[in-house]
Amino acid sequence: MIDIKTAVNAAYEYIKSLQEMMGSSLRDLRLEEVELSEDKSLWLITLGFDIPKKPPQSQFENLIATSGAFTTVLYEREYKLFKVNSQTGKVEAMKIRQV
């Protein structure tokens, strides 16, 4: 069986390869949770990161934005759950984890 560090690295490398393919970067990528499935066949790895979100804009904010003034970008935390095979270390699945 692979150890926790190897499982976490597999999930981390997987998400990094996806962001390279998409040409974007993830802000504040962190390990959030690690769990071994009951049958010990999978490591369940949750990684969290920030994605930019703009708040709803009022007509006044739209006017400021079109005039070239700076608008604040807010960030929202998103989580991905990775299923890593505990024997091979391969990522078998990735999905959005709802919190």
Side-chain angles (χ1 to χ4, degrees):
M1 179 186 298
I2 63 167
D3 61 7
I4 292 173
K5 184 177 180 179
T6 303
V8 170
N9 282 338
Y12 183 77
E13 291 302 319
Y14 188 86
I15 200 165
K16 292 296 253 181
S17 70
L18 288 178
Q19 74 178 3
E20 286 173 11
M21 249 180 15
M22 297 181 327
S24 63
S25 64
L26 301 175
R27 181 182 165 103
D28 195 23
L29 180 61
R30 287 187 275 169
L31 174 65
E32 301 286 345
E33 185 176 67
V34 178
E35 183 180 347
L36 186 59
S37 64
E38 286 186 29
D39 65 0
K40 297 184 178 10
S41 66
L42 296 169
W43 284 106
L44 308 173
I45 312 291
T46 302
L47 298 178
F49 53 91
D50 292 337
I51 56 173
K53 289 287 181 185
K54 287 191 175 187
Q57 293 185 340
S58 67
Q59 289 180 347
F60 178 71
E61 289 172 318
N62 283 333
L63 180 62
I64 291 172
T66 56
S67 71
F70 177 80
T71 58
T72 303
V73 176
L74 301 177
Y75 291 89
E76 180 176 279
R77 198 87 181 139
E78 188 166 300
Y79 303 92
K80 300 285 186 198
L81 174 65
F82 296 84
K83 293 181 180 180
V84 179
N85 185 299
S86 65
Q87 298 303 311
T88 66
K90 301 281 184 189
V91 174
E92 293 186 356
M94 176 188 78
K95 68 177 186 174
I96 296 171
R97 179 171 180 190
Q98 300 295 328
V99 182

